Amino acid sequence: MSEKNGTPATPAGSTGPRPEPLRFFGTTWVDHDNGYTARRIAVAIGSLVTAAVSCLVLRFAYQGIQIAAVGGFVTVLVVVMFAVCSALAFRHTWDGFTKRPDPDRHAHLRSLLMIGFVGSLLAYFFRSLIEAPGEKLHREEYEKARKQHDTRTTRRTGNPGKKRRRR
């Protein structure tokens, strides 16, 4: 399948299913073409660098709490909050690569995911070492849609009314 500007080319008059584009990859994940490998490397490096810079920002926040001298309990509470939220965000993001997340649950977890953004970035990094994040889920859905489309559009040969009956 060839692409132009991130949109898959289909034969004229084709009514078949189209692959869903992935963030940063478009539809290059279908045939692993048009710079797919370079994009995976860039996404892996980008998410790792962003996670490292985010940890640096969190360190500055921690130093600000130390300078404010708010007490040991508050400091421990903030550190534990970021650690737990990052772990939960990592798990939620990782699970989102293999199955569609529930929209209601995702809406309820939005603030937790924003606090644990480092976990989401690390999940993105580790998944991009294996495949384009979300590729497995999208490939399964696309193959299923293609199979259903093929079975719906195949034509029977012959007239079923003239079929011989077995005795």
Side-chain angles (χ1 to χ4, degrees), residues 15-78:
T15 59
R18 299 189 83 141
E20 186 177 341
L22 290 174
R23 180 183 297 152
F24 304 122
F25 293 92
T27 56
T28 60
W29 60 268
V30 177
D31 294 325
H32 294 187
D33 58 355
N34 292 339
Y36 171 82
T37 305
R39 290 177 192 212
R40 267 193 44 209
I41 292 169
V43 165
I45 292 171
S47 59
L48 186 62
V49 167
T50 306
V53 169
S54 300
C55 287
L56 185 63
V57 169
L58 290 177
R59 171 127 171 101
F60 291 144
Y62 177 77
Q63 288 176 341
I65 291 172
Q66 292 293 333
I67 292 170
V70 292
F73 177 72
V74 174
T75 303
V76 169
L77 191 64
V78 169

Side-chain angles (χ1 to χ4, degrees), residues 10-143:
T10 56
S14 175
T15 59
R18 299 189 83 141
E20 186 177 341
L22 290 174
R23 180 183 297 152
F24 304 122
F25 293 92
T27 56
T28 60
W29 60 268
V30 177
D31 294 325
H32 294 187
D33 58 355
N34 292 339
Y36 171 82
T37 305
R39 290 177 192 212
R40 267 193 44 209
I41 292 169
V43 165
I45 292 171
S47 59
L48 186 62
V49 167
T50 306
V53 169
S54 300
C55 287
L56 185 63
V57 169
L58 290 177
R59 171 127 171 101
F60 291 144
Y62 177 77
Q63 288 176 341
I65 291 172
Q66 292 293 333
I67 292 170
V70 292
F73 177 72
V74 174
T75 303
V76 169
L77 191 64
V78 169
V79 169
V80 168
M81 176 198 59
F82 272 107
V84 169
C85 288
S86 291
L88 291 173
F90 179 92
R91 181 64 184 193
H92 180 76
T93 305
W94 189 265
D95 288 344
F97 295 141
T98 56
K99 61 182 177 184
R100 293 273 178 190
D102 178 27
D104 292 333
R105 183 172 182 264
H106 186 72
H108 286 97
L109 293 176
R110 185 166 292 142
S111 58
L112 181 133
L113 295 173
M114 288 189 336
I115 294 169
F117 62 97
V118 174
S120 292
L121 289 168
L122 290 176
Y124 219 80
F125 166 72
F126 288 119
R127 194 59 177 205
S128 62
L129 295 177
I130 301 168
E131 65 179 7
E135 178 181 344
K136 181 179 180 182
L137 172 66
H138 284 76
R139 187 170 301 283
E140 288 172 357
E141 291 174 349
Y142 179 60
E143 293 298 325

